[in-house]
Amino acid sequence: MANVSIARRYARALLDVASEAGRIDAVAEQLTAFASAFAKNAELSDVLLNPAYTRPQRSQVVEGVMKAFPGGVDPVLASTLRLLVDRNRLAYLADIARLFGDMADARAGRVRGRVTSAAPLAPDALASLQQTLQQLTQRNVILETRVDPSLLGGVSAQVGSILYDGSLRTQLEEMRRELKQR
């Protein structure tokens, strides 16, 4: 709980500063990429978590990663990353990125969802599903698609904490339960 509250404070502060600069989406994209780079690279993760590394060593690594970003890192994000190094809070980077993305989506009236289907959906079917979900939620829905052949057919969509399950597998399971009750 304490870890999430620390990450939330940094995410909220970064969101406020990025909002003033009008750069919320750019900062969100870069922050996610930065956190992903550290998560996917064992050596970079070690720098975040291993207390054997000094603050100047961490600072050098973070500055090097920022220089390697195509087009450079947004100044708002660069300042935040330096602050995280100074305060020894780099270990919270993944949580900060996740919470920042959630807060940025909420501020923009967006909600993220996941659509799982038995086979890849046609672009027009995906657009129609997105439109329907937007009408149901009264928010702009950004969908991530996934294919799961175990669904057998149909579609399952999760938007926020609500699951809309129209998969054939779920319908067959419901029928089986009803038949057992008889």
PDB file of all heavy atoms in Angstrom, residues 42-82:
ATOM      1  N   ALA A  42      17.620  -6.819 -17.789  1.00  0.00           N
ATOM      2  CA  ALA A  42      18.026  -7.255 -16.446  1.00  0.00           C
ATOM      3  C   ALA A  42      19.103  -6.348 -15.853  1.00  0.00           C
ATOM      4  O   ALA A  42      19.093  -6.070 -14.650  1.00  0.00           O
ATOM      5  CB  ALA A  42      18.512  -8.697 -16.494  1.00  0.00           C
ATOM      6  N   GLU A  43      20.027  -5.869 -16.684  1.00  0.00           N
ATOM      7  CA  GLU A  43      21.093  -5.011 -16.171  1.00  0.00           C
ATOM      8  C   GLU A  43      20.540  -3.670 -15.703  1.00  0.00           C
ATOM      9  O   GLU A  43      20.942  -3.146 -14.665  1.00  0.00           O
ATOM     10  CB  GLU A  43      22.192  -4.795 -17.237  1.00  0.00           C
ATOM     11  CG  GLU A  43      23.029  -6.024 -17.527  1.00  0.00           C
ATOM     12  CD  GLU A  43      22.374  -6.966 -18.542  1.00  0.00           C
ATOM     13  OE1 GLU A  43      21.406  -6.547 -19.234  1.00  0.00           O
ATOM     14  OE2 GLU A  43      22.804  -8.125 -18.622  1.00  0.00           O
ATOM     15  N   LEU A  44      19.612  -3.117 -16.466  1.00  0.00           N
ATOM     16  CA  LEU A  44      19.008  -1.849 -16.051  1.00  0.00           C
ATOM     17  C   LEU A  44      18.167  -2.041 -14.786  1.00  0.00           C
ATOM     18  O   LEU A  44      18.185  -1.195 -13.886  1.00  0.00           O
ATOM     19  CB  LEU A  44      18.142  -1.270 -17.176  1.00  0.00           C
ATOM     20  CG  LEU A  44      18.889  -0.727 -18.385  1.00  0.00           C
ATOM     21  CD1 LEU A  44      17.908  -0.274 -19.464  1.00  0.00           C
ATOM     22  CD2 LEU A  44      19.808   0.414 -18.004  1.00  0.00           C
ATOM     23  N   SER A  45      17.453  -3.151 -14.713  1.00  0.00           N
ATOM     24  CA  SER A  45      16.666  -3.441 -13.505  1.00  0.00           C
ATOM     25  C   SER A  45      17.569  -3.564 -12.290  1.00  0.00           C
ATOM     26  O   SER A  45      17.213  -3.123 -11.190  1.00  0.00           O
ATOM     27  CB  SER A  45      15.903  -4.750 -13.663  1.00  0.00           C
ATOM     28  OG  SER A  45      14.671  -4.529 -14.253  1.00  0.00           O
ATOM     29  N   ASP A  46      18.713  -4.165 -12.485  1.00  0.00           N
ATOM     30  CA  ASP A  46      19.661  -4.319 -11.384  1.00  0.00           C
ATOM     31  C   ASP A  46      20.098  -2.956 -10.860  1.00  0.00           C
ATOM     32  O   ASP A  46      20.223  -2.759  -9.653  1.00  0.00           O
ATOM     33  CB  ASP A  46      20.878  -5.132 -11.858  1.00  0.00           C
ATOM     34  CG  ASP A  46      21.791  -5.520 -10.718  1.00  0.00           C
ATOM     35  OD1 ASP A  46      21.274  -5.932  -9.659  1.00  0.00           O
ATOM     36  OD2 ASP A  46      23.026  -5.419 -10.889  1.00  0.00           O
ATOM     37  N   VAL A  47      20.299  -2.010 -11.757  1.00  0.00           N
ATOM     38  CA  VAL A  47      20.679  -0.660 -11.336  1.00  0.00           C
ATOM     39  C   VAL A  47      19.573  -0.040 -10.484  1.00  0.00           C
ATOM     40  O   VAL A  47      19.839   0.654  -9.508  1.00  0.00           O
ATOM     41  CB  VAL A  47      20.987   0.232 -12.563  1.00  0.00           C
ATOM     42  CG1 VAL A  47      21.182   1.680 -12.165  1.00  0.00           C
ATOM     43  CG2 VAL A  47      22.218  -0.282 -13.286  1.00  0.00           C
ATOM     44  N   LEU A  48      18.327  -0.294 -10.836  1.00  0.00           N
ATOM     45  CA  LEU A  48      17.204   0.246 -10.067  1.00  0.00           C
ATOM     46  C   LEU A  48      17.133  -0.328  -8.659  1.00  0.00           C
ATOM     47  O   LEU A  48      16.865   0.388  -7.697  1.00  0.00           O
ATOM     48  CB  LEU A  48      15.875  -0.077 -10.755  1.00  0.00           C
ATOM     49  CG  LEU A  48      15.521   0.637 -12.025  1.00  0.00           C
ATOM     50  CD1 LEU A  48      14.191   0.123 -12.548  1.00  0.00           C
ATOM     51  CD2 LEU A  48      15.451   2.120 -11.816  1.00  0.00           C
ATOM     52  N   LEU A  49      17.342  -1.627  -8.549  1.00  0.00           N
ATOM     53  CA  LEU A  49      17.025  -2.323  -7.313  1.00  0.00           C
ATOM     54  C   LEU A  49      18.219  -2.669  -6.424  1.00  0.00           C
ATOM     55  O   LEU A  49      18.050  -2.877  -5.232  1.00  0.00           O
ATOM     56  CB  LEU A  49      16.261  -3.616  -7.648  1.00  0.00           C
ATOM     57  CG  LEU A  49      14.991  -3.416  -8.462  1.00  0.00           C
ATOM     58  CD1 LEU A  49      14.398  -4.749  -8.874  1.00  0.00           C
ATOM     59  CD2 LEU A  49      13.977  -2.594  -7.691  1.00  0.00           C
ATOM     60  N   ASN A  50      19.384  -2.748  -6.985  1.00  0.00           N
ATOM     61  CA  ASN A  50      20.557  -3.177  -6.223  1.00  0.00           C
ATOM     62  C   ASN A  50      21.142  -2.000  -5.438  1.00  0.00           C
ATOM     63  O   ASN A  50      21.600  -1.016  -6.011  1.00  0.00           O
ATOM     64  CB  ASN A  50      21.601  -3.752  -7.178  1.00  0.00           C
ATOM     65  CG  ASN A  50      22.725  -4.438  -6.458  1.00  0.00           C
ATOM     66  OD1 ASN A  50      22.986  -4.186  -5.290  1.00  0.00           O
ATOM     67  ND2 ASN A  50      23.408  -5.325  -7.179  1.00  0.00           N
ATOM     68  N   PRO A  51      21.172  -2.117  -4.102  1.00  0.00           N
ATOM     69  CA  PRO A  51      21.711  -1.018  -3.282  1.00  0.00           C
ATOM     70  C   PRO A  51      23.218  -0.844  -3.420  1.00  0.00           C
ATOM     71  O   PRO A  51      23.768   0.140  -2.919  1.00  0.00           O
ATOM     72  CB  PRO A  51      21.324  -1.410  -1.857  1.00  0.00           C
ATOM     73  CG  PRO A  51      21.053  -2.863  -1.896  1.00  0.00           C
ATOM     74  CD  PRO A  51      20.647  -3.205  -3.294  1.00  0.00           C
ATOM     75  N   ALA A  52      23.885  -1.761  -4.112  1.00  0.00           N
ATOM     76  CA  ALA A  52      25.332  -1.629  -4.302  1.00  0.00           C
ATOM     77  C   ALA A  52      25.671  -0.466  -5.236  1.00  0.00           C
ATOM     78  O   ALA A  52      26.786   0.057  -5.191  1.00  0.00           O
ATOM     79  CB  ALA A  52      25.906  -2.933  -4.857  1.00  0.00           C
ATOM     80  N   TYR A  53      24.708  -0.056  -6.063  1.00  0.00           N
ATOM     81  CA  TYR A  53      24.944   1.068  -6.966  1.00  0.00           C
ATOM     82  C   TYR A  53      24.723   2.379  -6.224  1.00  0.00           C
ATOM     83  O   TYR A  53      23.752   2.543  -5.493  1.00  0.00           O
ATOM     84  CB  TYR A  53      24.025   1.004  -8.192  1.00  0.00           C
ATOM     85  CG  TYR A  53      24.356  -0.135  -9.113  1.00  0.00           C
ATOM     86  CD1 TYR A  53      23.633  -1.324  -9.067  1.00  0.00           C
ATOM     87  CD2 TYR A  53      25.406  -0.028 -10.029  1.00  0.00           C
ATOM     88  CE1 TYR A  53      23.940  -2.375  -9.905  1.00  0.00           C
ATOM     89  CE2 TYR A  53      25.715  -1.081 -10.868  1.00  0.00           C
ATOM     90  CZ  TYR A  53      24.985  -2.251 -10.800  1.00  0.00           C
ATOM     91  OH  TYR A  53      25.299  -3.288 -11.631  1.00  0.00           O
ATOM     92  N   THR A  54      25.623   3.317  -6.456  1.00  0.00           N
ATOM     93  CA  THR A  54      25.521   4.623  -5.802  1.00  0.00           C
ATOM     94  C   THR A  54      24.579   5.522  -6.586  1.00  0.00           C
ATOM     95  O   THR A  54      24.249   5.241  -7.742  1.00  0.00           O
ATOM     96  CB  THR A  54      26.901   5.294  -5.714  1.00  0.00           C
ATOM     97  OG1 THR A  54      27.371   5.554  -7.055  1.00  0.00           O
ATOM     98  CG2 THR A  54      27.909   4.414  -4.966  1.00  0.00           C
ATOM     99  N   ARG A  55      24.189   6.603  -5.966  1.00  0.00           N
ATOM    100  CA  ARG A  55      23.308   7.565  -6.630  1.00  0.00           C
ATOM    101  C   ARG A  55      23.953   8.116  -7.901  1.00  0.00           C
ATOM    102  O   ARG A  55      23.289   8.205  -8.945  1.00  0.00           O
ATOM    103  CB  ARG A  55      22.943   8.681  -5.648  1.00  0.00           C
ATOM    104  CG  ARG A  55      21.879   9.600  -6.197  1.00  0.00           C
ATOM    105  CD  ARG A  55      21.360  10.553  -5.146  1.00  0.00           C
ATOM    106  NE  ARG A  55      20.555   9.788  -4.197  1.00  0.00           N
ATOM    107  CZ  ARG A  55      20.597   9.956  -2.881  1.00  0.00           C
ATOM    108  NH1 ARG A  55      21.363  10.860  -2.345  1.00  0.00           N
ATOM    109  NH2 ARG A  55      19.843   9.228  -2.096  1.00  0.00           N
ATOM    110  N   PRO A  56      25.253   8.500  -7.877  1.00  0.00           N
ATOM    111  CA  PRO A  56      25.869   8.985  -9.128  1.00  0.00           C
ATOM    112  C   PRO A  56      25.888   7.924 -10.230  1.00  0.00           C
ATOM    113  O   PRO A  56      25.698   8.255 -11.405  1.00  0.00           O
ATOM    114  CB  PRO A  56      27.293   9.361  -8.704  1.00  0.00           C
ATOM    115  CG  PRO A  56      27.202   9.634  -7.243  1.00  0.00           C
ATOM    116  CD  PRO A  56      26.138   8.711  -6.727  1.00  0.00           C
ATOM    117  N   GLN A  57      26.066   6.652  -9.861  1.00  0.00           N
ATOM    118  CA  GLN A  57      26.044   5.595 -10.872  1.00  0.00           C
ATOM    119  C   GLN A  57      24.645   5.459 -11.478  1.00  0.00           C
ATOM    120  O   GLN A  57      24.503   5.334 -12.692  1.00  0.00           O
ATOM    121  CB  GLN A  57      26.482   4.260 -10.256  1.00  0.00           C
ATOM    122  CG  GLN A  57      27.957   4.197  -9.935  1.00  0.00           C
ATOM    123  CD  GLN A  57      28.316   2.946  -9.156  1.00  0.00           C
ATOM    124  OE1 GLN A  57      27.567   2.510  -8.278  1.00  0.00           O
ATOM    125  NE2 GLN A  57      29.478   2.375  -9.480  1.00  0.00           N
ATOM    126  N   ARG A  58      23.630   5.496 -10.630  1.00  0.00           N
ATOM    127  CA  ARG A  58      22.254   5.434 -11.138  1.00  0.00           C
ATOM    128  C   ARG A  58      21.957   6.628 -12.030  1.00  0.00           C
ATOM    129  O   ARG A  58      21.310   6.510 -13.057  1.00  0.00           O
ATOM    130  CB  ARG A  58      21.259   5.384  -9.979  1.00  0.00           C
ATOM    131  CG  ARG A  58      21.193   4.063  -9.294  1.00  0.00           C
ATOM    132  CD  ARG A  58      20.046   4.023  -8.298  1.00  0.00           C
ATOM    133  NE  ARG A  58      19.929   2.696  -7.746  1.00  0.00           N
ATOM    134  CZ  ARG A  58      20.170   2.385  -6.489  1.00  0.00           C
ATOM    135  NH1 ARG A  58      20.488   3.320  -5.624  1.00  0.00           N
ATOM    136  NH2 ARG A  58      20.071   1.145  -6.080  1.00  0.00           N
ATOM    137  N   SER A  59      22.417   7.771 -11.602  1.00  0.00           N
ATOM    138  CA  SER A  59      22.203   8.997 -12.376  1.00  0.00           C
ATOM    139  C   SER A  59      22.839   8.878 -13.760  1.00  0.00           C
ATOM    140  O   SER A  59      22.225   9.261 -14.763  1.00  0.00           O
ATOM    141  CB  SER A  59      22.768  10.196 -11.625  1.00  0.00           C
ATOM    142  OG  SER A  59      22.541  11.371 -12.352  1.00  0.00           O
ATOM    143  N   GLN A  60      24.046   8.345 -13.818  1.00  0.00           N
ATOM    144  CA  GLN A  60      24.726   8.181 -15.110  1.00  0.00           C
ATOM    145  C   GLN A  60      23.949   7.226 -16.013  1.00  0.00           C
ATOM    146  O   GLN A  60      23.805   7.479 -17.215  1.00  0.00           O
ATOM    147  CB  GLN A  60      26.142   7.650 -14.913  1.00  0.00           C
ATOM    148  CG  GLN A  60      27.118   8.676 -14.404  1.00  0.00           C
ATOM    149  CD  GLN A  60      28.502   8.077 -14.196  1.00  0.00           C
ATOM    150  OE1 GLN A  60      28.646   6.870 -13.990  1.00  0.00           O
ATOM    151  NE2 GLN A  60      29.518   8.931 -14.260  1.00  0.00           N
ATOM    152  N   VAL A  61      23.439   6.145 -15.447  1.00  0.00           N
ATOM    153  CA  VAL A  61      22.679   5.174 -16.241  1.00  0.00           C
ATOM    154  C   VAL A  61      21.395   5.813 -16.766  1.00  0.00           C
ATOM    155  O   VAL A  61      21.067   5.691 -17.946  1.00  0.00           O
ATOM    156  CB  VAL A  61      22.374   3.904 -15.410  1.00  0.00           C
ATOM    157  CG1 VAL A  61      21.373   3.014 -16.128  1.00  0.00           C
ATOM    158  CG2 VAL A  61      23.659   3.147 -15.124  1.00  0.00           C
ATOM    159  N   VAL A  62      20.683   6.508 -15.909  1.00  0.00           N
ATOM    160  CA  VAL A  62      19.430   7.147 -16.322  1.00  0.00           C
ATOM    161  C   VAL A  62      19.703   8.209 -17.393  1.00  0.00           C
ATOM    162  O   VAL A  62      18.981   8.283 -18.397  1.00  0.00           O
ATOM    163  CB  VAL A  62      18.681   7.739 -15.110  1.00  0.00           C
ATOM    164  CG1 VAL A  62      17.532   8.624 -15.552  1.00  0.00           C
ATOM    165  CG2 VAL A  62      18.169   6.618 -14.214  1.00  0.00           C
ATOM    166  N   GLU A  63      20.729   9.010 -17.209  1.00  0.00           N
ATOM    167  CA  GLU A  63      21.079  10.026 -18.217  1.00  0.00           C
ATOM    168  C   GLU A  63      21.434   9.357 -19.546  1.00  0.00           C
ATOM    169  O   GLU A  63      21.039   9.837 -20.614  1.00  0.00           O
ATOM    170  CB  GLU A  63      22.243  10.898 -17.730  1.00  0.00           C
ATOM    171  CG  GLU A  63      21.911  11.800 -16.566  1.00  0.00           C
ATOM    172  CD  GLU A  63      20.923  12.920 -16.894  1.00  0.00           C
ATOM    173  OE1 GLU A  63      20.817  13.328 -18.065  1.00  0.00           O
ATOM    174  OE2 GLU A  63      20.242  13.365 -15.951  1.00  0.00           O
ATOM    175  N   GLY A  64      22.163   8.241 -19.492  1.00  0.00           N
ATOM    176  CA  GLY A  64      22.513   7.511 -20.708  1.00  0.00           C
ATOM    177  C   GLY A  64      21.286   6.972 -21.431  1.00  0.00           C
ATOM    178  O   GLY A  64      21.190   7.054 -22.656  1.00  0.00           O
ATOM    179  N   VAL A  65      20.352   6.428 -20.675  1.00  0.00           N
ATOM    180  CA  VAL A  65      19.120   5.909 -21.287  1.00  0.00           C
ATOM    181  C   VAL A  65      18.311   7.055 -21.880  1.00  0.00           C
ATOM    182  O   VAL A  65      17.753   6.935 -22.972  1.00  0.00           O
ATOM    183  CB  VAL A  65      18.290   5.099 -20.263  1.00  0.00           C
ATOM    184  CG1 VAL A  65      16.940   4.715 -20.836  1.00  0.00           C
ATOM    185  CG2 VAL A  65      19.049   3.847 -19.826  1.00  0.00           C
ATOM    186  N   MET A  66      18.259   8.184 -21.181  1.00  0.00           N
ATOM    187  CA  MET A  66      17.511   9.338 -21.718  1.00  0.00           C
ATOM    188  C   MET A  66      18.137   9.836 -23.018  1.00  0.00           C
ATOM    189  O   MET A  66      17.418  10.194 -23.958  1.00  0.00           O
ATOM    190  CB  MET A  66      17.461  10.480 -20.690  1.00  0.00           C
ATOM    191  CG  MET A  66      16.491  10.220 -19.565  1.00  0.00           C
ATOM    192  SD  MET A  66      16.110  11.670 -18.547  1.00  0.00           S
ATOM    193  CE  MET A  66      17.664  12.010 -17.757  1.00  0.00           C
ATOM    194  N   LYS A  67      19.468   9.841 -23.105  1.00  0.00           N
ATOM    195  CA  LYS A  67      20.137  10.283 -24.334  1.00  0.00           C
ATOM    196  C   LYS A  67      19.876   9.319 -25.484  1.00  0.00           C
ATOM    197  O   LYS A  67      19.863   9.723 -26.642  1.00  0.00           O
ATOM    198  CB  LYS A  67      21.643  10.414 -24.098  1.00  0.00           C
ATOM    199  CG  LYS A  67      22.016  11.622 -23.289  1.00  0.00           C
ATOM    200  CD  LYS A  67      23.511  11.698 -23.079  1.00  0.00           C
ATOM    201  CE  LYS A  67      23.836  12.856 -22.137  1.00  0.00           C
ATOM    202  NZ  LYS A  67      25.255  12.865 -21.770  1.00  0.00           N
ATOM    203  N   ALA A  68      19.671   8.040 -25.163  1.00  0.00           N
ATOM    204  CA  ALA A  68      19.443   7.033 -26.199  1.00  0.00           C
ATOM    205  C   ALA A  68      18.033   7.075 -26.779  1.00  0.00           C
ATOM    206  O   ALA A  68      17.776   6.479 -27.819  1.00  0.00           O
ATOM    207  CB  ALA A  68      19.721   5.637 -25.626  1.00  0.00           C
ATOM    208  N   PHE A  69      17.115   7.785 -26.128  1.00  0.00           N
ATOM    209  CA  PHE A  69      15.742   7.876 -26.626  1.00  0.00           C
ATOM    210  C   PHE A  69      15.721   8.661 -27.930  1.00  0.00           C
ATOM    211  O   PHE A  69      16.285   9.742 -28.015  1.00  0.00           O
ATOM    212  CB  PHE A  69      14.838   8.562 -25.595  1.00  0.00           C
ATOM    213  CG  PHE A  69      14.043   7.615 -24.768  1.00  0.00           C
ATOM    214  CD1 PHE A  69      14.671   6.719 -23.925  1.00  0.00           C
ATOM    215  CD2 PHE A  69      12.666   7.592 -24.826  1.00  0.00           C
ATOM    216  CE1 PHE A  69      13.950   5.835 -23.163  1.00  0.00           C
ATOM    217  CE2 PHE A  69      11.936   6.716 -24.069  1.00  0.00           C
ATOM    218  CZ  PHE A  69      12.578   5.830 -23.234  1.00  0.00           C
ATOM    219  N   PRO A  70      15.025   8.125 -28.945  1.00  0.00           N
ATOM    220  CA  PRO A  70      14.923   8.853 -30.207  1.00  0.00           C
ATOM    221  C   PRO A  70      14.194  10.186 -30.002  1.00  0.00           C
ATOM    222  O   PRO A  70      13.107  10.220 -29.437  1.00  0.00           O
ATOM    223  CB  PRO A  70      14.111   7.930 -31.117  1.00  0.00           C
ATOM    224  CG  PRO A  70      13.864   6.678 -30.345  1.00  0.00           C
ATOM    225  CD  PRO A  70      14.327   6.868 -28.949  1.00  0.00           C
ATOM    226  N   GLY A  71      14.804  11.254 -30.420  1.00  0.00           N
ATOM    227  CA  GLY A  71      14.193  12.578 -30.275  1.00  0.00           C
ATOM    228  C   GLY A  71      14.365  13.162 -28.886  1.00  0.00           C
ATOM    229  O   GLY A  71      13.908  14.256 -28.610  1.00  0.00           O
ATOM    230  N   GLY A  72      14.987  12.426 -27.996  1.00  0.00           N
ATOM    231  CA  GLY A  72      15.204  12.922 -26.639  1.00  0.00           C
ATOM    232  C   GLY A  72      13.979  12.750 -25.764  1.00  0.00           C
ATOM    233  O   GLY A  72      12.887  12.459 -26.230  1.00  0.00           O
ATOM    234  N   VAL A  73      14.184  12.931 -24.480  1.00  0.00           N
ATOM    235  CA  VAL A  73      13.117  12.783 -23.493  1.00  0.00           C
ATOM    236  C   VAL A  73      12.528  14.155 -23.203  1.00  0.00           C
ATOM    237  O   VAL A  73      13.254  15.155 -23.105  1.00  0.00           O
ATOM    238  CB  VAL A  73      13.672  12.137 -22.199  1.00  0.00           C
ATOM    239  CG1 VAL A  73      12.636  12.088 -21.109  1.00  0.00           C
ATOM    240  CG2 VAL A  73      14.184  10.738 -22.490  1.00  0.00           C
ATOM    241  N   ASP A  74      11.215  14.212 -23.063  1.00  0.00           N
ATOM    242  CA  ASP A  74      10.519  15.441 -22.721  1.00  0.00           C
ATOM    243  C   ASP A  74      11.144  16.032 -21.454  1.00  0.00           C
ATOM    244  O   ASP A  74      11.416  15.305 -20.504  1.00  0.00           O
ATOM    245  CB  ASP A  74       9.040  15.140 -22.497  1.00  0.00           C
ATOM    246  CG  ASP A  74       8.213  16.395 -22.403  1.00  0.00           C
ATOM    247  OD1 ASP A  74       8.230  17.018 -21.322  1.00  0.00           O
ATOM    248  OD2 ASP A  74       7.555  16.732 -23.396  1.00  0.00           O
ATOM    249  N   PRO A  75      11.389  17.342 -21.431  1.00  0.00           N
ATOM    250  CA  PRO A  75      12.023  17.965 -20.255  1.00  0.00           C
ATOM    251  C   PRO A  75      11.266  17.719 -18.947  1.00  0.00           C
ATOM    252  O   PRO A  75      11.876  17.583 -17.886  1.00  0.00           O
ATOM    253  CB  PRO A  75      12.043  19.450 -20.599  1.00  0.00           C
ATOM    254  CG  PRO A  75      11.924  19.526 -22.076  1.00  0.00           C
ATOM    255  CD  PRO A  75      11.181  18.312 -22.510  1.00  0.00           C
ATOM    256  N   VAL A  76       9.943  17.661 -19.015  1.00  0.00           N
ATOM    257  CA  VAL A  76       9.136  17.398 -17.817  1.00  0.00           C
ATOM    258  C   VAL A  76       9.462  16.006 -17.268  1.00  0.00           C
ATOM    259  O   VAL A  76       9.669  15.829 -16.059  1.00  0.00           O
ATOM    260  CB  VAL A  76       7.627  17.516 -18.148  1.00  0.00           C
ATOM    261  CG1 VAL A  76       6.767  17.014 -17.008  1.00  0.00           C
ATOM    262  CG2 VAL A  76       7.271  18.938 -18.512  1.00  0.00           C
ATOM    263  N   LEU A  77       9.545  15.036 -18.146  1.00  0.00           N
ATOM    264  CA  LEU A  77       9.861  13.674 -17.737  1.00  0.00           C
ATOM    265  C   LEU A  77      11.311  13.570 -17.274  1.00  0.00           C
ATOM    266  O   LEU A  77      11.597  12.900 -16.282  1.00  0.00           O
ATOM    267  CB  LEU A  77       9.591  12.688 -18.872  1.00  0.00           C
ATOM    268  CG  LEU A  77       9.902  11.219 -18.576  1.00  0.00           C
ATOM    269  CD1 LEU A  77       9.113  10.725 -17.361  1.00  0.00           C
ATOM    270  CD2 LEU A  77       9.620  10.360 -19.794  1.00  0.00           C
ATOM    271  N   ALA A  78      12.222  14.243 -17.975  1.00  0.00           N
ATOM    272  CA  ALA A  78      13.636  14.198 -17.587  1.00  0.00           C
ATOM    273  C   ALA A  78      13.820  14.722 -16.163  1.00  0.00           C
ATOM    274  O   ALA A  78      14.551  14.129 -15.360  1.00  0.00           O
ATOM    275  CB  ALA A  78      14.474  15.006 -18.572  1.00  0.00           C
ATOM    276  N   SER A  79      13.141  15.802 -15.830  1.00  0.00           N
ATOM    277  CA  SER A  79      13.234  16.351 -14.475  1.00  0.00           C
ATOM    278  C   SER A  79      12.702  15.362 -13.448  1.00  0.00           C
ATOM    279  O   SER A  79      13.287  15.192 -12.370  1.00  0.00           O
ATOM    280  CB  SER A  79      12.445  17.658 -14.369  1.00  0.00           C
ATOM    281  OG  SER A  79      13.004  18.632 -15.201  1.00  0.00           O
ATOM    282  N   THR A  80      11.605  14.712 -13.782  1.00  0.00           N
ATOM    283  CA  THR A  80      11.022  13.733 -12.861  1.00  0.00           C
ATOM    284  C   THR A  80      11.953  12.547 -12.667  1.00  0.00           C
ATOM    285  O   THR A  80      12.141  12.073 -11.540  1.00  0.00           O
ATOM    286  CB  THR A  80       9.657  13.251 -13.381  1.00  0.00           C
ATOM    287  OG1 THR A  80       8.794  14.382 -13.508  1.00  0.00           O
ATOM    288  CG2 THR A  80       9.035  12.229 -12.466  1.00  0.00           C
ATOM    289  N   LEU A  81      12.553  12.065 -13.748  1.00  0.00           N
ATOM    290  CA  LEU A  81      13.467  10.935 -13.634  1.00  0.00           C
ATOM    291  C   LEU A  81      14.683  11.300 -12.776  1.00  0.00           C
ATOM    292  O   LEU A  81      15.135  10.499 -11.959  1.00  0.00           O
ATOM    293  CB  LEU A  81      13.899  10.457 -15.018  1.00  0.00           C
ATOM    294  CG  LEU A  81      12.789   9.829 -15.858  1.00  0.00           C
ATOM    295  CD1 LEU A  81      13.261   9.596 -17.286  1.00  0.00           C
ATOM    296  CD2 LEU A  81      12.308   8.534 -15.231  1.00  0.00           C
ATOM    297  N   ARG A  82      15.183  12.504 -12.949  1.00  0.00           N
ATOM    298  CA  ARG A  82      16.315  12.960 -12.112  1.00  0.00           C
ATOM    299  C   ARG A  82      15.896  13.042 -10.643  1.00  0.00           C
ATOM    300  O   ARG A  82      16.669  12.694  -9.754  1.00  0.00           O
ATOM    301  CB  ARG A  82      16.825  14.292 -12.622  1.00  0.00           C
ATOM    302  CG  ARG A  82      17.533  14.187 -13.954  1.00  0.00           C
ATOM    303  CD  ARG A  82      18.094  15.531 -14.428  1.00  0.00           C
ATOM    304  NE  ARG A  82      18.624  15.377 -15.764  1.00  0.00           N
ATOM    305  CZ  ARG A  82      18.076  15.919 -16.859  1.00  0.00           C
ATOM    306  NH1 ARG A  82      16.994  16.683 -16.761  1.00  0.00           N
ATOM    307  NH2 ARG A  82      18.619  15.719 -18.032  1.00  0.00           N
TER     308      ARG A  82
END
